[in-house]
Amino acid sequence: MHIVVCIKQVPDSAQIRVHPVTNTIMRQGVPTIINPYDLFAIEEALRLRDKFGGEVTVLTMGPPMASDSLRKALTFGADRAVLLTDRFFAGSDTLATSFALSSAITRIGEVFGPADIVFTGKQTIDGDTAQVGPGIAKRLGLTQLTYVAKIADLDLTGRSIEVHRRAEGGVQVLKSPLPCLITMLEGTNEIRRGSMMDALRAARAEIVTWSAKDAGIPDVTKCGLRGSPTVVKRVFAPTPRAEKAQFVDPAGEPPADALINAIFKRAPKLEAELAELSRGY
């Protein structure tokens, strides 16, 4: 069994800065960490590897410094790390990122063996879109199992997996053929502490480093800013409202009625406008 885990090195959310011209995140001089959601994906992949055997390959796209996060993943026990780095990837949105990563996963399959499962975190703390995982699944033609809280069963002989997916109002139990892509929820497992042997191995390990050409990407115009249709027009911190919240005292009447009366008192024309609208029904 071969599992690929896509991770991202992200800026510490407490120290994020935004470029005033391009409106992209400025990473220089900002401490970086493995995206917290991706840690749960790494742990789940390692648990499956430990139980059923096989290999775990960790993949990330980013500048050369992203190798630090890959070495951290190796200290947890991952077998291999691949860094996708090239100036053509700079400024990628989720569409361009999913294109580059899916190309790299295809290349990983050619070099190290096809992936049975691709793991990602639910989302990243810098983008918060939750789009890259599904985007990879779409490009690779994989069944996508998102917001997974538990791996209930894995049948390598029958080539199927059963998961519990968190949904509104309950839990969905889904069974899917392999290969598939899984996005893991936070808090779904307890992240291990790597052993001393893994830490020593990670320090000596060679990070497989690929450019766009190495990853088999023939058209670099689909990467980076050139391949990113998303345009951030403006990034700003909202100004605090000068007007303070108003406390509504029910004074013996039902709270809902008290709130409605307070709203109508504050906006006298609203009641008449609502009454006019209601005449059409």
Side-chain angles (χ1 to χ4, degrees):
M1 179 175 62
H2 186 197
I3 301 174
V4 175
V5 186
C6 296
I7 69 171
K8 186 178 183 183
Q9 180 169 273
V10 296
D12 188 330
S13 58
Q15 301 186 50
I16 285 179
R17 297 179 298 157
V18 177
H19 194 283
V21 177
T22 63
N23 287 324
T24 56
I25 293 175
M26 298 173 61
R27 303 179 185 275
Q28 293 78 11
V30 180
T32 55
I33 57 175
I34 296 178
N35 176 52
Y37 295 108
D38 297 343
L39 293 173
F40 299 101
I42 294 172
E43 175 61 29
E44 201 62 40
L46 293 175
R47 291 188 182 196
L48 292 178
R49 191 274 316 269
D50 294 345
K51 183 175 181 180
F52 296 98
E55 293 183 326
V56 172
T57 298
V58 182
L59 168 67
T60 193
M61 183 182 83
M65 62 182 289
S67 61
D68 295 340
S69 290
L70 290 174
R71 290 197 186 279
K72 181 67 175 178
L74 290 174
T75 66
F76 292 135
D79 299 283
R80 182 185 301 110
V82 177
L83 171 62
L84 191 60
T85 184
D86 200 306
R87 61 185 178 86
F88 293 113
F89 301 141
S92 294
D93 68 358
T94 56
L95 187 70
T97 298
S98 64
F99 171 74
L101 289 176
S102 61
S103 299
I105 292 171
T106 299
R107 182 60 178 156
I108 286 173
E110 296 169 353
V111 177
F112 304 111
D116 298 288
I117 305 174
V118 178
F119 275 103
T120 72
K122 178 187 72 172
Q123 63 195 69
T124 59
I125 61 172
D126 56 352
D128 270 341
T129 64
Q131 294 174 351
V132 171
I136 294 172
K138 175 65 176 177
R139 292 183 184 278
L140 295 179
L142 302 177
T143 301
Q144 55 177 293
L145 304 170
T146 57
Y147 299 95
V148 170
K150 178 183 178 182
I151 308 295
D153 184 53
L154 176 62
D155 182 1
L156 291 176
T157 303
R159 301 291 293 167
S160 67
I161 190 169
E162 184 177 302
V163 303
H164 291 182
R165 179 183 187 271
R166 189 182 301 170
E168 291 185 15
V171 175
Q172 296 175 339
V173 179
L174 304 176
K175 189 173 184 179
S176 166
L178 297 178
C180 66
L181 181 140
I182 296 173
T183 72
M184 292 299 300
L185 284 174
E186 70 281 5
T188 51
N189 49 45
E190 185 175 347
I191 300 166
R192 68 187 65 191
R193 297 185 64 178
S195 66
M196 180 62 70
M197 290 299 296
D198 283 327
L200 293 174
R201 178 178 61 86
R204 297 191 299 264
E206 179 182 355
I207 305 296
V208 179
T209 304
W210 286 345
S211 64
K213 182 179 180 180
D214 297 329
I217 300 175
D219 187 1
V220 294
T221 62
K222 294 182 179 180
C223 304
L225 286 174
R226 294 176 65 187
S228 301
T230 305
V231 176
V232 180
K233 183 177 180 181
R234 182 174 171 228
V235 177
F236 64 95
T239 56
R241 295 179 59 177
E243 188 177 4
K244 296 183 179 180
Q246 178 184 348
F247 175 75
V248 177
D249 185 2
E253 63 179 324
D257 292 344
L259 179 59
I260 292 172
N261 291 334
I263 292 173
F264 288 157
K265 184 177 179 180
R266 190 180 184 88
K269 295 182 180 180
L270 179 60
E271 185 173 11
E273 291 172 356
L274 291 175
E276 183 67 25
L277 289 173
S278 65
R279 290 173 187 171
Y281 293 93

